[in-house]
Amino acid sequence: IDRAGLDRKRVGDLIARGLEGADDGELFLEYRQSEALGFDNGRLKQATYDTAQGFGLRAVKDEAVGYAHASDVSEGAILRAADAVRAVKGGYSGRYAEAPSRTNVKLYGDDNPLDAPGFEAKVKLLQEIDAYARAKDPRVRQVSVSLGASWQVVEILRADGEIYRDVRPLVRLNVSIVAGDGSRQETGSHGYGGREG
Protein backbone atom coordinates (compact mmCIF):
# COMPACT_ATOMS: atom_id res chain seq x y z
CA ILE A 1 0.00 0.00 0.00
CA ASP A 2 2.74 2.44 0.98
CA ARG A 3 4.90 1.67 -2.09
CA ALA A 4 1.91 2.40 -4.36
CA GLY A 5 1.28 5.69 -2.53
CA LEU A 6 -2.25 4.73 -1.52
CA ASP A 7 -4.14 5.91 1.54
CA ARG A 8 -4.66 2.95 3.91
CA LYS A 9 -8.01 4.20 5.22
CA ARG A 10 -9.37 4.73 1.70
CA VAL A 11 -8.19 1.27 0.62
CA GLY A 12 -9.81 -0.18 3.77
CA ASP A 13 -13.09 1.48 2.78
CA LEU A 14 -12.83 -0.03 -0.72
CA ILE A 15 -12.20 -3.50 0.72
CA ALA A 16 -15.18 -3.12 3.05
CA ARG A 17 -17.32 -2.09 0.06
CA GLY A 18 -16.29 -5.15 -1.95
CA LEU A 19 -16.70 -7.58 0.95
CA GLU A 20 -19.94 -6.15 2.37
CA GLY A 21 -22.31 -9.05 2.99
CA ALA A 22 -19.65 -11.69 2.28
CA ASP A 23 -18.55 -14.41 4.71
CA ASP A 24 -14.83 -13.87 4.17
CA GLY A 25 -12.28 -12.26 1.88
CA GLU A 26 -9.16 -10.12 1.66
CA LEU A 27 -6.98 -7.92 -0.51
CA PHE A 28 -3.66 -9.58 -1.37
CA LEU A 29 -0.89 -7.28 -2.63
CA GLU A 30 2.49 -8.34 -3.95
CA TYR A 31 5.64 -6.50 -5.05
CA ARG A 32 8.63 -8.41 -6.42
CA GLN A 33 12.08 -7.56 -7.75
CA SER A 34 14.35 -10.16 -9.31
CA GLU A 35 17.81 -10.17 -10.85
CA ALA A 36 19.82 -12.85 -12.66
CA LEU A 37 23.42 -12.77 -13.86
CA GLY A 38 24.99 -15.50 -15.97
CA PHE A 39 28.75 -15.73 -16.56
CA ASP A 40 29.95 -18.32 -19.07
CA ASN A 41 33.45 -18.93 -20.45
CA GLY A 42 34.92 -15.71 -19.15
CA ARG A 43 32.07 -13.44 -20.26
CA LEU A 44 28.92 -11.98 -18.81
CA LYS A 45 26.28 -13.53 -21.08
CA GLN A 46 23.09 -12.68 -19.21
CA ALA A 47 21.98 -9.81 -17.02
CA THR A 48 18.29 -9.40 -16.31
CA TYR A 49 16.34 -7.31 -13.85
CA ASP A 50 12.58 -7.40 -13.40
CA THR A 51 9.99 -5.71 -11.21
CA ALA A 52 6.42 -6.96 -10.92
CA GLN A 53 3.48 -5.98 -8.77
CA GLY A 54 -0.20 -6.66 -8.49
CA PHE A 55 -3.15 -7.39 -6.26
CA GLY A 56 -6.04 -9.78 -5.93
CA LEU A 57 -9.32 -9.17 -4.11
CA ARG A 58 -11.30 -12.22 -2.99
CA ALA A 59 -14.84 -12.42 -1.58
CA VAL A 60 -16.38 -15.66 -0.29
CA LYS A 61 -20.10 -16.31 0.26
CA ASP A 62 -21.14 -19.85 1.15
CA GLU A 63 -19.59 -21.98 -1.62
CA ALA A 64 -19.20 -19.11 -4.10
CA VAL A 65 -15.97 -17.16 -4.55
CA GLY A 66 -15.55 -13.86 -6.37
CA TYR A 67 -12.05 -12.88 -7.43
CA ALA A 68 -10.61 -9.88 -9.27
CA HIS A 69 -6.96 -9.00 -9.86
CA ALA A 70 -4.75 -6.49 -11.66
CA SER A 71 -1.12 -5.48 -12.01
CA ASP A 72 -2.13 -1.82 -11.66
CA VAL A 73 -2.03 -1.12 -7.91
CA SER A 74 -4.17 2.01 -7.87
CA GLU A 75 -7.30 3.19 -6.13
CA GLY A 76 -9.27 3.00 -9.38
CA ALA A 77 -8.22 -0.60 -10.05
CA ILE A 78 -9.06 -1.65 -6.47
CA LEU A 79 -12.47 0.08 -6.77
CA ARG A 80 -13.21 -1.83 -10.00
CA ALA A 81 -12.15 -5.08 -8.29
CA ALA A 82 -14.38 -4.32 -5.29
CA ASP A 83 -17.37 -3.77 -7.60
CA ALA A 84 -16.58 -7.02 -9.44
CA VAL A 85 -16.37 -9.23 -6.34
CA ARG A 86 -19.59 -7.77 -4.89
CA ALA A 87 -21.48 -9.90 -7.42
CA VAL A 88 -20.69 -13.02 -5.38
CA LYS A 89 -23.02 -12.03 -2.53
CA GLY A 90 -26.11 -11.66 -4.75
CA GLY A 91 -28.51 -10.29 -2.11
CA TYR A 92 -27.07 -12.44 0.67
CA SER A 93 -26.18 -10.72 3.93
CA GLY A 94 -23.58 -12.93 5.53
CA ARG A 95 -21.60 -12.67 8.74
CA TYR A 96 -17.95 -11.94 8.21
CA ALA A 97 -15.61 -14.71 9.39
CA GLU A 98 -13.13 -14.05 12.18
CA ALA A 99 -9.60 -13.16 11.14
CA PRO A 100 -7.03 -15.96 11.33
CA SER A 101 -4.99 -16.03 14.51
CA ARG A 102 -1.52 -14.52 14.34
CA THR A 103 0.61 -17.64 14.52
CA ASN A 104 3.16 -16.70 11.91
CA VAL A 105 6.69 -15.76 12.94
CA LYS A 106 8.80 -13.23 11.04
CA LEU A 107 11.61 -15.30 9.55
CA TYR A 108 13.47 -12.76 7.41
CA GLY A 109 14.54 -9.15 7.67
CA ASP A 110 13.35 -6.37 5.39
CA ASP A 111 16.77 -6.02 3.69
CA ASN A 112 16.65 -6.34 -0.08
CA PRO A 113 19.52 -8.54 -1.39
CA LEU A 114 19.38 -6.76 -4.76
CA ASP A 115 20.46 -3.46 -3.19
CA ALA A 116 24.00 -4.47 -2.24
CA PRO A 117 26.55 -5.25 -3.44
CA GLY A 118 26.19 -3.27 -6.66
CA PHE A 119 26.12 -4.65 -10.20
CA GLU A 120 29.87 -4.21 -10.78
CA ALA A 121 30.74 -6.08 -7.57
CA LYS A 122 28.45 -8.96 -8.54
CA VAL A 123 30.05 -9.25 -11.98
CA LYS A 124 33.52 -9.11 -10.38
CA LEU A 125 32.55 -11.98 -8.05
CA LEU A 126 31.49 -14.10 -11.04
CA GLN A 127 34.79 -13.27 -12.80
CA GLU A 128 36.76 -14.28 -9.69
CA ILE A 129 34.93 -17.61 -9.43
CA ASP A 130 35.61 -18.28 -13.12
CA ALA A 131 39.33 -17.42 -12.74
CA TYR A 132 39.65 -19.48 -9.55
CA ALA A 133 38.14 -22.59 -11.16
CA ARG A 134 40.33 -22.29 -14.25
CA ALA A 135 43.46 -21.81 -12.14
CA LYS A 136 42.76 -24.98 -10.13
CA ASP A 137 43.33 -27.38 -13.01
CA PRO A 138 44.38 -26.99 -16.66
CA ARG A 139 41.79 -29.59 -17.65
CA VAL A 140 38.93 -27.15 -16.93
CA ARG A 141 37.31 -26.44 -20.30
CA GLN A 142 34.20 -24.51 -19.36
CA VAL A 143 33.02 -22.59 -16.30
CA SER A 144 29.45 -21.37 -15.96
CA VAL A 145 28.46 -19.29 -12.95
CA SER A 146 25.05 -17.80 -12.20
CA LEU A 147 23.87 -15.49 -9.47
CA GLY A 148 20.18 -14.85 -8.90
CA ALA A 149 18.31 -12.87 -6.28
CA SER A 150 14.75 -11.86 -5.59
CA TRP A 151 12.88 -9.80 -3.03
CA GLN A 152 9.15 -10.23 -2.56
CA VAL A 153 6.83 -8.30 -0.26
CA VAL A 154 3.34 -9.63 0.38
CA GLU A 155 0.68 -7.70 2.25
CA ILE A 156 -2.81 -8.99 3.06
CA LEU A 157 -5.52 -6.59 4.22
CA ARG A 158 -8.76 -7.97 5.63
CA ALA A 159 -12.07 -6.14 5.84
CA ASP A 160 -11.83 -6.03 9.65
CA GLY A 161 -8.65 -3.93 9.37
CA GLU A 162 -6.19 -6.72 10.18
CA ILE A 163 -2.96 -6.53 8.16
CA TYR A 164 -0.57 -9.43 7.52
CA ARG A 165 2.83 -8.74 5.91
CA ASP A 166 5.71 -10.94 4.83
CA VAL A 167 9.07 -10.16 3.23
CA ARG A 168 10.82 -12.94 1.31
CA PRO A 169 14.44 -12.40 0.17
CA LEU A 170 16.19 -15.11 -1.85
CA VAL A 171 19.77 -15.42 -3.14
CA ARG A 172 21.20 -18.32 -5.18
CA LEU A 173 24.69 -18.98 -6.61
CA ASN A 174 25.38 -21.89 -8.99
CA VAL A 175 28.68 -23.07 -10.47
CA SER A 176 29.04 -25.67 -13.22
CA ILE A 177 32.41 -26.86 -14.52
CA VAL A 178 33.28 -29.04 -17.50
CA ALA A 179 36.70 -30.69 -17.31
CA GLY A 180 38.27 -32.82 -19.98
CA ASP A 181 41.27 -34.98 -20.66
CA GLY A 182 41.62 -35.97 -24.29
CA SER A 183 38.25 -37.17 -25.51
CA ARG A 184 36.97 -37.81 -21.98
CA GLN A 185 34.87 -35.02 -20.53
CA GLU A 186 33.03 -34.70 -17.20
CA THR A 187 30.75 -32.12 -15.61
CA GLY A 188 30.32 -31.14 -12.00
CA SER A 189 28.06 -28.54 -10.47
CA HIS A 190 27.16 -27.11 -7.09
CA GLY A 191 24.80 -24.46 -5.88
CA TYR A 192 24.10 -22.62 -2.68
CA GLY A 193 21.34 -20.29 -1.72
CA GLY A 194 19.08 -19.08 0.97
CA ARG A 195 16.68 -16.42 2.13
CA GLU A 196 19.32 -13.96 3.24
CA GLY A 197 21.38 -11.01 1.99
Side-chain angles (χ1 to χ4, degrees):
I1 294 292
D2 297 334
R3 181 176 296 280
L6 300 175
D7 179 78
R8 285 188 179 273
K9 182 179 179 335
R10 178 69 181 137
V11 170
D13 292 344
L14 294 174
I15 296 169
R17 172 189 171 124
L19 302 182
E20 181 184 8
D23 295 328
D24 200 2
E26 69 280 320
L27 176 68
F28 176 95
L29 298 116
E30 178 181 16
Y31 177 82
R32 179 183 173 101
Q33 294 177 330
S34 60
E35 178 181 59
L37 301 175
F39 201 85
D40 192 27
N41 280 337
R43 295 166 140 193
L44 182 65
K45 294 214 174 166
Q46 175 193 7
T48 61
Y49 182 87
D50 183 56
T51 299
Q53 67 179 10
F55 75 87
L57 181 61
R58 180 180 73 113
V60 179
K61 184 211 97 174
D62 286 336
E63 300 297 318
V65 177
Y67 183 74
H69 62 91
S71 58
D72 173 23
V73 181
S74 67
E75 190 175 302
I78 295 171
L79 175 61
R80 289 188 296 277
D83 289 341
V85 300
R86 285 175 61 96
V88 76
K89 72 176 191 162
Y92 173 80
S93 59
R95 186 177 74 73
Y96 200 70
E98 288 185 34
S101 61
R102 291 191 173 267
T103 57
N104 58 322
V105 175
K106 185 174 180 175
L107 299 175
Y108 317 112
D110 289 346
D111 293 341
N112 184 340
L114 279 69
D115 290 343
F119 179 78
E120 291 80 11
K122 292 173 189 173
V123 172
K124 185 175 183 232
L125 172 65
L126 300 180
Q127 287 172 329
E128 289 171 357
I129 292 170
D130 178 86
Y132 175 83
R134 291 178 185 283
K136 288 301 272 182
D137 195 307
R139 293 173 292 184
V140 171
R141 293 182 177 171
Q142 181 179 7
V143 178
S144 299
V145 187
S146 66
L147 178 63
S150 67
W151 187 69
Q152 178 186 29
V153 180
V154 172
E155 196 169 56
I156 300 171
L157 288 77
R158 296 184 45 86
D160 59 6
E162 287 289 322
I163 298 172
Y164 301 84
R165 187 171 189 268
D166 191 22
V167 177
R168 302 168 183 165
L170 180 64
V171 178
R172 177 102 186 140
L173 176 70
N174 296 306
V175 179
S176 176
I177 297 175
V178 176
D181 190 0
S183 61
R184 181 176 173 176
Q185 195 164 276
E186 295 183 5
T187 302
S189 61
H190 186 73
Y192 173 79
R195 294 195 174 277
E196 55 192 277

